[in-house]
Amino acid sequence: MGVVVAIDGPAGAGKSTTARLLAARLGYTLLDTGAIYRVMALRARERGIAWDDGPGVASLADGLGLSFRLEDGVNRVFAAGQDLSAAIRTPEISDGASRVSALPEVRAALLDIQRRLGAAGGVVVEGRDIGTVVFPEAKAKFFLTADTDERTRRRVAELRGAGRAVDPAQTRAEIVARDQRDSTRATAPLRKADDAIEIDSSALGADEVVERMAAIVQARAGS
């Protein structure tokens, strides 16, 4: 029977790529909690709700109608049947997601949704508080890191690959600011769970990280 796999870590550490490849390798469902907060930020912007309006943003949770579908190696995100996979990946929405995720009202509103989506097991879940708050009893927990320069390089490459103009210095500053915001927020701050296995991906390829994780997950799923 499949287990819950929790992957936490800072922005740009490779969580999304690793989680996608690991889910495909294990035949698990992929739940990208960061994408949920991105959808919340996008919907709030569309409705003119400020990203620091906790009750206002939280009120959007009930009508999200979220679902995920892995297609051709891409984990597509749908809200009420609308594919938002590209719309939520802009720098602006990335910043918005970090801001709304710091609001206790929003985190409380989305906690049950996340737990419901992963309750059956056989799921890879990635985010920033998965092993500490969302699924503290997960049988396999990982904390994926990489140094700031490498995370900046990856983010710049991702944005340029999407055809966007990028200022590397500004991108680095945004990553540093997000690290600070995510790790110091009062509600569910980014931190490594005591029983999580830390993997520094700075000098590792995605396949190497996945190999390490898959071996551990398979061992624990069989125990």
Side-chain angles (χ1 to χ4, degrees):
M1 179 179 178
V3 300
V4 173
V5 181
I7 303 177
D8 291 310
K15 297 188 306 297
S16 295
T17 298
T18 299
R20 173 174 51 79
L21 294 174
L22 183 62
R25 166 76 177 272
L26 298 172
Y28 278 22
T29 298
L30 175 58
L31 174 55
D32 179 354
T33 62
I36 299 176
Y37 287 102
R38 287 170 180 267
V39 170
M40 290 287 277
L42 178 64
R43 290 300 193 226
R45 190 189 65 177
E46 291 172 346
R47 288 161 175 74
I49 299 173
W51 284 335
D52 61 356
D53 179 356
V57 179
S59 71
L60 302 173
D62 286 342
L64 287 182
L66 283 172
S67 62
F68 293 86
R69 190 160 68 236
L70 198 58
E71 296 179 353
D72 299 324
V74 176
N75 195 40
R76 297 201 168 279
V77 186
F78 296 84
Q82 182 182 8
D83 187 346
L84 300 179
S85 307
I88 63 172
R89 297 296 174 184
T90 67
E92 179 189 9
I93 296 303
S94 293
D95 181 60
S98 180
R99 293 178 185 279
V100 303
S101 70
L103 303 172
E105 300 93 339
V106 175
R107 300 199 76 85
L110 293 181
L111 187 58
D112 285 343
I113 293 175
Q114 295 173 69
R115 286 177 172 166
R116 185 168 64 250
L117 289 170
V123 61
V124 176
V125 193
E126 63 108 334
R128 286 172 175 75
D129 65 342
I130 308 307
T132 55
V133 176
V134 183
F135 291 105
E137 304 303 320
K139 291 194 71 173
K141 298 181 185 179
F142 301 97
F143 193 81
L144 189 61
T145 66
D147 64 51
T148 304
D149 288 341
E150 176 60 18
R151 289 189 287 134
T152 300
R153 186 194 68 76
R154 292 173 183 175
R155 181 63 175 154
V156 167
E158 177 187 5
L159 292 172
R160 284 177 174 166
R164 299 193 180 105
V166 187
D167 178 345
Q170 180 181 345
T171 300
R172 191 182 196 283
E174 290 170 350
I175 287 175
V176 171
R178 183 163 188 179
D179 286 350
Q180 174 69 12
R181 191 160 59 238
D182 289 348
S183 60
T184 60
R185 66 191 181 204
T187 303
L190 168 67
R191 70 174 181 84
K192 175 181 171 291
D194 293 339
D195 55 346
I197 297 170
E198 183 168 342
I199 298 177
D200 187 334
S201 70
S202 300
L204 297 175
D207 290 340
E208 294 175 279
V209 175
V210 170
E211 284 296 325
R212 293 187 186 186
M213 289 184 174
I216 293 168
V217 174
Q218 288 166 339
R220 296 189 178 183
S223 62

